Amino acid sequence: MKFYHYCPSMILLLVMFTSCEKQTGDYRLERNDFLYPLAAIIEYQHALDLEITKVQDHSEFAPYLAQRSDSMARYIAELQAIYPLPEADLTAEAKANLLNLQNNQGPGYPKLLLQLVMQADEDLIGLHVKASGPAGLKDVILRQWTAEKLPMLTKRLDASQTLWHTH
């Protein structure tokens, strides 16, 4: 299981670096090369958010979930204004992670759940970095939008990491 921690300043430096490269970029990604993996990640994050609702005995999870839900709703609404999000199923890895999580309902459940949420957040950030980079999306509007979303996505990851470290 991969588990990376992105430093917000490192992500912003990467975005600044890739934005300098954009003028000479060799854009390769088609719109659907971004939208289909994105839809699968969003579906997985939604399933994880449903799991967060099951953590009733920890009061700090309620505001955390509210913030995540609100930011993702705004994110999806903005994306839908540009392009419709395709329907997607959970990947085999996501299904396995959820099954493992649901089979581990003991005291380690909140920590495992947060670990999976952070991994999903990192995957979403990685997809945006790739899409906005020098070999990223051919679609200029979508490429710029992906770069603009990185600070919000980083903030979501930071909130997950903070909760994980304090839990």
Side-chain angles (χ1 to χ4, degrees):
M1 177 184 299
K2 68 179 177 178
F3 191 65
Y4 306 105
H5 289 280
Y6 289 93
C7 172
S9 57
M10 182 174 72
I11 290 173
L12 291 176
L13 284 173
L14 181 60
V15 171
M16 289 180 358
F17 174 75
T18 59
S19 63
C20 292
E21 298 275 329
K22 286 181 184 176
Q23 295 172 355
T24 61
D26 180 26
Y27 304 115
R28 298 181 191 139
L29 292 178
E30 298 296 334
R31 189 179 311 136
N32 286 338
D33 294 334
F34 173 74
L35 292 176
Y36 281 95
L38 174 65
I41 293 172
I42 289 173
E43 188 67 26
Y44 181 46
Q45 287 204 346
H46 178 71
L48 290 170
D49 287 350
L50 289 175
E51 291 296 319
I52 293 171
T53 65
K54 298 177 183 177
V55 185
Q56 301 292 329
D57 56 337
H58 301 280
S59 61
E60 66 272 15
F61 277 85
Y64 168 75
L65 178 60
Q67 181 274 328
R68 286 186 65 78
S69 298
D70 181 58
S71 65
M72 187 52 69
R74 283 183 280 128
Y75 173 94
I76 291 171
E78 288 177 22
L79 178 61
Q80 296 282 37
I82 302 169
Y83 293 107
L85 189 62
E87 300 226 358
D89 293 323
L90 293 173
T91 65
E93 180 183 3
K95 288 177 185 176
N97 286 344
L98 287 168
L99 183 61
N100 181 44
L101 178 67
Q102 292 162 352
N103 289 332
N104 288 296
Q105 295 289 323
Y109 176 84
K111 210 64 152 161
L112 178 58
L113 173 58
L114 287 170
Q115 184 175 350
L116 293 175
V117 168
M118 287 186 294
Q119 181 182 18
D121 287 347
E122 291 167 351
D123 290 344
L124 189 55
I125 290 169
L127 184 62
H128 278 67
V129 168
K130 179 180 176 182
S132 62
L137 286 162
K138 292 177 184 178
D139 184 307
V140 175
I141 294 170
L142 192 55
R143 186 176 63 242
Q144 289 173 344
W145 182 83
T146 61
E148 291 169 7
K149 295 295 112 192
L150 281 168
M152 182 277 294
L153 297 173
T154 303
K155 184 177 178 182
R156 284 171 52 96
L157 175 59
D158 289 345
S160 299
Q161 290 173 335
T162 298
L163 187 56
W164 190 79
H165 287 294
T166 60
H167 197 267

